[in-house]
Amino acid sequence: MGNPLIKEAPRQSVSSDKIWTRDFILICLSNFFVFLGFQMTLPTLPLFVEKLGGNDQLIGIVVGIFTFSALLIRPSAGHALETKGRGFVFLTGLGIFVFSVGSFGFVKSLLFLFIMRIIQGLGWGFSTTASGTIATDLIPANKRGEGMGFYGLSGNIALAFGPSLGLALVGVISYTQLFLICAALGILAILLSSKIRYKQVEAKAAPQVKKWDFYEKSALPPSLLLFFITVTFGGIASFLPLYSTQKGIEGIQWYFLLYAAALMLTRTFAGKLYDERGHKAVFIPGTLLILISMLLLSWLPNSMILYTAAVLYGLGFGTVQPALQAWSVKESLPNRRGMANATFFSFFDLGVGIGAIVFGQIGHWLGYSSIYIVAAISVLCSILLYLYILMKSSVGKPA
């Protein structure tokens, strides 16, 4: 409000029967470029830590601390979305992200990298909480599952190319150049997001903030389920490149490509399935695919099993994640959508962060294959918790 970079839409313009509006396309493009910059660092950062002299435990800590700083800032981001506005939070987060990722190129010590990863997490927490909320604002309520699937597709396309592109570039250019390219992609996201017409802050909503309001209660069930699933992602992002190298298996870049392709395939049907039949139709099938994928990775005898695990993980995660996100905002009030998204992504971060740090210890003491056995147990916990939620809800209102 008052910032020339932040446009606000009249209230009626954010409701539409269409998913693919001008502003929805812009938020998807912005999300794509910031995710592309982030995904390019995902498999290369562990290699960079190794180059600076870090071991498996330090790799896990450097990867994990990012998610914990994002986790800590998300409740503040959720409040700011309802008081300061969507555009302010989104652009601030993108600016911090650009600064931190660009600084990686000048890191000479693990301590400085550790500090900048904390700062990166703050920017990531602001920007991803904001972008998910902005997308929710723009999608018609009766098409939220489908719309969030398409919105998630923008990140999935980045995932299809980002890790492989990062690994390819780091073979021919320096880490400094790689991280500056990632920062430039963040700047492109800022330019695109400055053109979005954001939902206006509702004056009546601003004074309703409680002092110890850290989460949205209605978003807790799907967020808890997500936590046990994203623990697996901490093991994949941090250690799969090192694990496959240790096993003498080539083609890790194909793992990320196939995973992302499978994710994109799910966007053609999973969101509509959720809108028509609810989370019961997608959660158990999706989580079983993830469970099988983790067991295959714990075995990992050859490249074919690696690629099969990638496809199964992509199909499973791509089916479950948008359904859980749509579920997390379904029961929240309009002025609590920011906090609902903050709660959802907080548990996402917590799962990835705990997974990276705990798996760093497990990999160091028991070997990499043990990481994926523990990850499979975490997915099984999610399935059991979901069944408990269904049993509990059956005595009241249907899920």
Side-chain angles (χ1 to χ4, degrees), residues 264-346:
M264 288 186 276
L265 177 63
T266 64
R267 303 312 187 193
T268 63
F269 64 85
K272 277 189 176 182
L273 191 59
Y274 169 81
D275 289 333
E276 292 170 3
R277 300 178 59 186
H279 49 76
K280 291 180 182 178
V282 295
F283 185 82
I284 295 292
T287 47
L288 286 175
L289 291 176
I290 296 171
L291 177 63
I292 295 168
S293 174
M294 293 301 101
L295 293 174
L296 289 177
L297 289 179
S298 70
W299 177 34
L300 200 62
N302 52 48
S303 296
M304 188 56 62
I305 294 299
L306 177 70
Y307 302 153
T308 303
V311 172
L312 293 178
Y313 192 75
L315 291 173
F317 195 80
T319 300
V320 169
Q321 189 268 337
L324 290 178
Q325 188 170 4
W327 181 7
S328 71
V329 298
K330 180 183 176 184
E331 303 298 331
S332 63
L333 297 171
N335 68 317
R336 295 287 294 175
R337 284 179 188 162
M339 186 54 69
N341 272 298
T343 302
F344 181 81
F345 283 111
S346 291

Side-chain angles (χ1 to χ4, degrees), residues 341-354:
N341 272 298
T343 302
F344 181 81
F345 283 111
S346 291
F347 279 87
F348 191 115
D349 293 335
L350 190 61
V352 175
I354 287 178

Side-chain angles (χ1 to χ4, degrees), residues 43-60:
T44 54
L45 198 57
L47 302 176
F48 184 52
V49 173
E50 197 173 47
K51 182 188 172 197
L52 293 175
N55 58 18
D56 291 339
Q57 292 165 303
L58 286 171
I59 289 171

Side-chain angles (χ1 to χ4, degrees), residues 38-215:
F38 173 72
Q39 295 291 347
M40 286 169 65
T41 68
L42 203 59
T44 54
L45 198 57
L47 302 176
F48 184 52
V49 173
E50 197 173 47
K51 182 188 172 197
L52 293 175
N55 58 18
D56 291 339
Q57 292 165 303
L58 286 171
I59 289 171
I61 291 170
V62 169
V63 172
I65 196 63
F66 160 86
T67 58
F68 281 107
S69 59
L71 169 68
L72 290 174
I73 203 64
R74 286 200 191 277
S76 298
H79 288 310
L81 284 167
E82 309 302 345
T83 55
K84 302 291 185 183
R86 277 43 168 168
F88 173 82
V89 177
F90 191 37
L91 291 170
T92 299
L94 290 176
I96 296 171
F97 177 81
V98 167
F99 165 73
S100 57
V101 173
S103 73
F104 291 172
F106 306 97
V107 164
K108 302 297 180 186
S109 72
L110 284 169
L111 177 61
F112 185 49
L113 178 62
F114 184 82
I115 292 169
M116 296 316 297
R117 280 287 285 175
I118 293 173
I119 295 173
Q120 183 192 10
L122 299 178
W124 190 250
F126 267 107
S127 60
T128 53
T129 303
S131 60
T133 306
I134 293 162
T136 303
D137 290 339
L138 297 168
I139 298 166
N142 64 327
K143 296 182 179 179
R144 190 159 287 144
E146 183 182 4
M148 291 309 293
F150 285 129
Y151 166 74
L153 183 61
S154 63
N156 300 151
I157 294 172
L159 177 59
F161 300 105
S164 302
L165 182 58
L167 287 168
L169 287 176
V170 85
V172 294
I173 63 176
S174 68
Y175 282 105
T176 298
Q177 292 170 314
L178 172 70
F179 294 135
L180 289 176
I181 288 171
C182 295
L185 291 169
I187 292 173
L188 185 53
I190 291 174
L191 294 175
L192 288 166
S193 60
S194 68
K195 303 295 184 184
I196 296 172
R197 293 166 296 190
Y198 298 97
K199 174 188 173 183
Q200 293 178 0
V201 173
E202 304 224 7
K204 289 188 281 187
Q208 302 295 324
V209 175
K210 299 175 185 176
K211 186 177 181 181
W212 301 107
D213 187 16
F214 295 123
Y215 65 93

